[in-house]
Amino acid sequence: MTLSAVPANADATGADPAGAVLHRVVVVGNPNVGKTTLYNHLTRGNARVGNYPGVTVERHVGRLAAEGPAARHVEVIDVPGTYSLSARSAEEQIAIQAVLGMDEHPRPDLAVVVVDAGQLVRNLYLVLQLVELGVPCVVALNMIDEARDNPPVPEAVSRLFGVPCVATNGRTGDGVPALIRAVETALAEPKAPSLEVAYPGELRADVDRVAEALPRALRANVERDRALARWALTSIDEDDELVAVDPGLRERVTDVRRAAGSRDVDREIIAARYAFLDSVAPSLFARGTEGRPKHAGSERLDRFLIHPAYGFAVFLVVMTTLFQALFTWAEPAIHGVEALVGALQKGAASVLPHGVFRDLLVEGVIGGVGNVIVFVPQILLLFLFVGILEDSGYMARVAYLMDRIMRSLGLHGRAFVPMLSGFACAIPAILATRTMERQRDRLLTMLVVPLMTCSARLPVYTLVIAALFPPTRVFGWVPVQGLLLVGMYFFATAFALAAAAVLGRVAVKGRKVPLILELPPYRLPKVGGTLRMMWEKTSSFLREAGTVILATTVVLWALLAFPRKVIDEGLPVAPVAAQHAIEESYGGRIGKVMEPALAPLGFDWKIGVGLVGAFAAREVFVSTMGLVYGVGGVDDGDVVPLRDRMRAETRADGKPAYSPLTGLSLLVFFAIACQCMSTLATVYRETRSLRWPAFLFAYTGVLAWAMSFAVYQGGRLLGF
Amino acid sequence: MTLGELGIGVPVTVVSVGGERAFRRRLMELGLLPGTEVEIVRVAPLGDPLELGVRGCRLSIRRDEAVNIEVSMLPARERSESAPAVVPVGSGVPAAP
């Protein structure tokens, strides 16, 4: 592994820019132990969100909420929940990198290990690894209230591992001041703990051989080297996805494992650790036997919630509520935002002198900001739900129930909620993929979610269907127009699932790791934590994707506004003049240039301009078409004139320019193409690279073109 | 017998954990080791995945992987099969008998 920024044996403290001594504490623990809640207590909620180097994993950094003049400057960093330091992928590797300060991670002075008091032995497995590595620790026995029948005794744990141990209850905040004091004390008097677990003889020889091959920069002392060697033995593999592993180390590990022959090195290491923990466990509890809370209430709930019949019924209700919420509950807020933006635009328009600057401000900037803020209600609502589902433990049950179906589509069970949300809007759905642990699964879901029929496509569908399809009925009672709309939904969903299956094999590489899902006991979600997460997600979206969306809106405005042909004297512009302006604009010219590529799909340059406009937001297609056809301001409710104009449009030879077949081709195009810049901006922000949004745009664009082509030309061949 | 063939609610002891390396390693680190008691708590509505009860926690794995875990009806010994533990350095806690 590469040299870290601070050499392994350097002095414990760094210095912050102000010159004061800065300590670093990392917070580690199993998933579902209330680590986030405790972390928020430790930092009093003022952590910033960033990313770990090289991976798209969230990293929270905050300051310890310590009191008094002797309070130190302590940076507190969270580490994603993990059961063990052993790793197979770059994401899993974060744990050991963060804890030891390797590979661009800053070296911590202390690790706070959050432990579920009701699952002590398994949680202590992680503590054991840290202690073997000589990392100074403070153990927080969290969720102590759940273990009240036979609680673990902090002093016993402390004596066993040689590290301070404090009982805490993250929900109420009990024990947090004691924890903070313990952290400060441990920072003031650093003690490197040590522990000796009995490993079998042959294994010890293997470990020593691997320890010899550790790169110099990672060596410290004999015990720590051995612990690191054990990490290497359980992590490094022929087809792992670890980063920056020293080739010499890798080779030695491979040799040692091969030389071990039929001996199972992994099992020997893990079994020895558990043997130790099992033997000392009874002495750690008040009653002298290992305590395991029954979680009877949780059991009863599960009997109902994962019941074959009731379970699915409840699941449907929950998911329908989520869906309803995103679709309709957000409506008033969205309309509110649009009204506010409209008012601001009118206000600015009336105050400023006519001209380019005014239009730039009104349509470009204010419009652009509006385009960003309009997503906020749905993001907030979705994360409210996701937060409640996750914290309560129900999300794991969703993944459990949906696994069979999702797996056959190449998707993870946890992809269900994001995919469902895609029916409302892709942006919050893409943000919600954060709940998925593996980068590969997250990426695949992000690439497929935009294919779900989002609500912005509805105005386009409605316009096209109403304009170009007759309001007749088939089979005497099924309306063609309604059937078409429902059909588009089914088509898009089927297409999305097919795309997931194909992309999962072809484009998004990564091993399919077998499922191990823990179903934690049900717990009441903590409101404060959920609200904080909602705020964090929204503000980082605004900051990062928002700037891209705003910039793109301005660019698109410019494309349709320049070169300026209309003499702006503040008089209402005649529709014909506006129409000419559009035609002569850069956007119009792009439409004309695109026409040869669009003609085989049955489109003309006017639709081309509409597509350019739709890039800002799909519903802008409708208003852009309104401008192109010279029907003046087209609002959602006022499509009748536009509809009639489109229907009446004729070609040079007098035949209708747009037929139902063109309509179908256009519907298919819109269903597939990801022309929504907000989606692309969000994918860019979530993957931190241009590659994936570019790929998303390209693959959906090509497929949209191909499908439209097939529909139109196929239809022509069949005589429509 | 494998975990894939086991019925619901029958406690058994793990004999061996097979399967792909990363998977078995993670499963063992979660406490599913030879010598540990395990039972199938329930099966998902569509027949897959299985919900296992191990050391007081609930883990879910697929049937495809469950067939790689050998189990037997022998009485459980929670302690895994390797050498007995040694008193840790510097600790005052007596080792269990």
Side-chain angles (χ1 to χ4, degrees):
Chain A
M1 290 167 232
T2 58
L3 222 66
S4 63
V6 176
N9 290 323
D11 181 29
T13 61
D16 76 8
V21 161
L22 179 72
H23 297 275
R24 269 193 202 92
V25 173
V26 287
V27 179
V28 297
N30 283 189
N32 304 308
V33 297
K35 180 164 66 72
T36 307
T37 310
L38 216 52
Y39 178 84
N40 287 335
H41 278 298
L42 287 175
T43 55
R44 218 173 272 150
N46 55 26
R48 306 183 317 268
V49 184
N51 265 73
Y52 278 100
V55 283
T56 59
V57 177
E58 267 181 1
R59 176 181 189 251
H60 291 82
V61 181
R63 285 292 166 102
L64 186 65
E67 313 276 307
R72 295 155 179 275
H73 295 282
V74 183
E75 194 177 72
V76 188
I77 303 166
D78 83 333
V79 174
T82 183
Y83 298 107
S84 158
L85 295 177
S86 63
R88 250 328 211 49
S89 67
E91 293 169 321
E92 291 179 357
Q93 216 175 337
I94 291 175
I96 189 140
Q97 289 169 326
V99 149
L100 292 181
M102 303 189 310
D103 303 333
E104 294 163 37
H105 289 244
R107 186 161 157 267
D109 303 302
L110 185 71
V112 170
V113 193
V114 181
V115 157
D116 179 354
Q119 259 295 323
L120 195 66
V121 169
R122 196 194 71 202
N123 277 248
L124 288 180
Y125 184 80
L126 182 61
V127 177
L128 182 58
Q129 291 182 323
L130 289 164
V131 169
E132 283 189 322
L133 282 165
V135 176
C137 296
V138 169
V139 175
L141 281 182
N142 201 25
M143 297 175 162
I144 196 75
D145 52 313
E146 290 182 12
R148 73 181 84 86
D149 287 340
N150 183 7
V153 179
E155 291 74 24
V157 175
S158 182
R159 254 176 296 144
L160 174 66
F161 288 104
V163 296
C165 178
V166 178
T168 57
N169 180 345
R171 178 172 307 284
T172 58
D174 289 342
V176 171
L179 180 62
I180 294 181
R181 274 197 307 273
V183 167
E184 294 192 290
T185 311
L187 286 173
E189 302 153 7
K191 259 188 309 182
S194 72
L195 193 63
E196 278 197 46
V197 168
Y199 291 101
E202 282 174 307
L203 181 67
R204 279 198 294 237
D206 290 335
V207 166
D208 284 334
R209 276 195 63 207
V210 171
E212 281 166 22
L214 285 173
R216 192 143 309 143
L218 292 176
R219 304 242 192 132
N221 55 61
V222 174
E223 282 315 313
R224 199 191 98 152
D225 289 354
R226 284 187 178 141
L228 202 46
R230 273 175 234 126
W231 179 90
L233 274 171
T234 49
S235 303
I236 296 177
D237 198 8
E238 317 164 323
D239 44 6
D240 64 51
E241 294 159 354
L242 298 169
V243 296
V245 173
D246 178 86
L249 179 63
R250 184 182 281 279
E251 208 185 304
R252 179 62 62 91
V253 168
T254 317
D255 284 344
V256 167
R257 288 185 66 92
R258 200 178 308 130
S262 59
R263 272 175 48 224
D264 185 352
V265 172
D266 287 341
R267 190 188 62 75
E268 287 182 7
I269 294 177
I270 301 171
R273 289 172 177 158
Y274 265 100
F276 168 72
L277 290 170
D278 285 338
S279 68
V280 295
S283 63
L284 298 174
F285 290 86
R287 298 248 183 97
T289 57
E290 187 180 345
R292 287 216 198 125
K294 288 281 179 280
H295 295 296
S298 208
E299 259 306 291
R300 256 179 274 134
L301 258 183
D302 253 345
R303 235 172 276 149
F304 184 68
L305 290 176
I306 352 187
H307 187 275
Y310 303 131
F312 256 121
V314 171
F315 174 75
L316 278 175
V317 167
V318 170
M319 289 302 138
T320 311
T321 313
L322 172 72
F323 191 62
Q324 254 323 77
L326 289 176
F327 239 105
T328 48
W329 299 358
E331 281 286 296
I334 294 179
H335 285 314
V337 170
E338 287 173 349
L340 178 66
V341 172
L344 275 173
Q345 284 178 318
K346 280 209 185 67
S350 60
V351 159
L352 293 168
H354 300 289
V356 179
F357 179 72
R358 183 187 83 157
D359 288 344
L360 171 66
L361 189 66
V362 168
E363 286 168 51
V365 176
I366 299 182
V369 170
N371 276 345
V372 176
I373 299 184
V374 79
F375 291 115
V376 171
Q378 282 176 318
I379 294 177
L380 287 173
L381 263 177
L382 179 60
F383 278 96
L384 177 65
F385 266 87
V386 166
I388 295 176
L389 289 177
E390 274 287 358
D391 286 353
S392 64
Y394 189 67
M395 190 65 101
R397 273 80 181 169
V398 169
Y400 174 75
L401 287 172
M402 285 289 107
D403 182 68
R404 184 83 204 278
I405 299 175
M406 302 296 279
R407 187 218 336 190
S408 57
L409 303 165
L411 289 165
H412 192 275
R414 281 174 178 270
F416 186 78
V417 168
M419 293 286 279
L420 186 68
S421 317
F423 279 115
C425 175
I427 279 84
I430 289 170
L431 293 176
T433 57
R434 285 277 177 157
T435 62
M436 302 173 67
E437 293 133 0
R438 288 184 69 225
Q439 203 157 328
R440 180 236 175 223
D441 294 327
R442 205 183 301 146
L443 187 56
L444 182 60
T445 311
M446 280 196 260
L447 289 176
V448 163
V449 151
L451 290 170
M452 307 302 270
T453 309
C454 69
S455 48
R457 287 173 165 108
L458 274 178
V460 177
Y461 286 2
T462 320
L463 168 69
V464 172
I465 292 177
L468 302 176
F469 288 89
T472 53
R473 289 166 189 269
V474 284
F475 309 129
W477 63 281
V478 181
V480 166
Q481 295 180 333
L483 194 61
L484 210 47
L485 190 59
V486 172
M488 287 313 298
Y489 268 93
F490 273 104
F491 169 72
T493 311
F495 200 83
L497 298 177
V502 172
L503 283 177
R505 258 163 264 262
V506 166
V508 183
K509 296 289 157 48
R511 317 168 45 89
K512 297 253 302 246
V513 174
L515 175 80
I516 303 179
L517 183 65
E518 189 187 357
L519 299 175
Y522 287 106
R523 295 180 169 124
L524 273 180
K526 193 133 194 292
V527 175
T530 303
L531 288 177
R532 183 167 298 119
M533 179 193 54
M534 283 162 63
W535 167 246
E536 266 173 17
K537 296 278 185 252
T538 310
S539 58
S540 52
F541 165 76
L542 288 175
R543 241 195 344 259
E544 301 182 37
T547 45
V548 178
I549 296 174
L550 175 59
T552 321
T553 308
V554 171
V555 167
L556 284 170
W557 164 82
L559 279 180
L560 290 173
F562 291 101
R564 293 181 79 72
K565 291 284 181 191
V566 177
I567 304 183
D568 221 344
E569 279 162 11
L571 299 169
V573 178
V576 174
Q579 192 179 7
H580 269 125
I582 290 282
E583 194 164 345
E584 298 296 309
S585 71
Y586 293 121
R589 292 182 205 178
I590 292 176
K592 291 247 169 75
V593 163
M594 278 164 59
E595 192 160 34
L598 297 177
L601 312 180
F603 307 158
D604 62 6
W605 71 270
K606 288 183 178 160
I607 292 191
V609 177
L611 291 178
V612 171
F615 201 70
R618 290 192 179 88
E619 54 268 46
V620 175
F621 177 79
V622 175
S623 45
T624 310
M625 291 300 275
L627 288 172
V628 172
Y629 279 102
V631 285
V634 176
D635 291 319
D636 286 40
D638 196 17
V639 284
V640 175
L642 173 59
R643 202 193 326 160
D644 295 335
R645 278 292 283 114
M646 281 180 75
R647 218 181 278 148
E649 181 87 349
T650 56
R651 273 195 248 272
D653 59 2
K655 294 174 70 181
Y658 305 130
S659 63
L661 191 59
T662 312
L664 193 60
S665 170
L666 193 54
L667 287 173
V668 165
F669 190 87
F670 257 93
I672 300 175
C674 179
Q675 332 144 250
C676 170
M677 61 160 176
S678 309
T679 307
L680 296 172
T682 312
V683 173
Y684 165 67
R685 191 231 163 244
E686 290 294 293
T687 59
R688 310 219 156 249
S689 102
L690 285 171
R691 181 184 8 156
W692 293 111
F695 176 73
L696 175 61
F697 183 70
Y699 104 83
T700 50
V702 166
L703 279 177
W705 194 95
M707 290 298 293
S708 267
F709 182 82
V711 163
Y712 188 72
Q713 298 298 340
R716 291 290 294 267
L717 279 174
L718 291 172
F720 287 105
Chain B
M1 162 168 57
T2 72
L3 210 51
E5 300 151 10
L6 190 63
I8 296 181
V10 179
V12 290
T13 307
V14 177
V15 170
S16 71
V17 181
E20 199 222 332
R21 192 193 162 201
F23 169 75
R24 58 188 297 271
R25 186 201 71 204
R26 189 40 46 90
L27 215 50
M28 289 195 286
E29 287 183 317
L30 284 165
L32 195 75
L33 285 158
T36 311
E37 191 176 299
V38 67
E39 79 176 274
I40 297 183
V41 175
R42 60 174 65 86
V43 173
L46 299 167
D48 210 357
L50 311 174
E51 189 183 337
L52 308 176
V54 181
R55 292 175 178 269
C57 79
R58 297 275 182 268
L59 295 178
S60 180
I61 65 173
R62 295 185 184 131
R63 216 176 264 284
D64 288 348
E65 274 87 46
V67 298
N68 293 321
I69 301 173
E70 283 288 327
V71 296
S72 79
M73 297 285 221
L74 293 172
R77 292 177 310 127
E78 294 266 294
R79 194 187 290 220
S80 319
E81 339 174 288
S82 49
V86 161
V87 175
V89 172
S91 151
V93 177

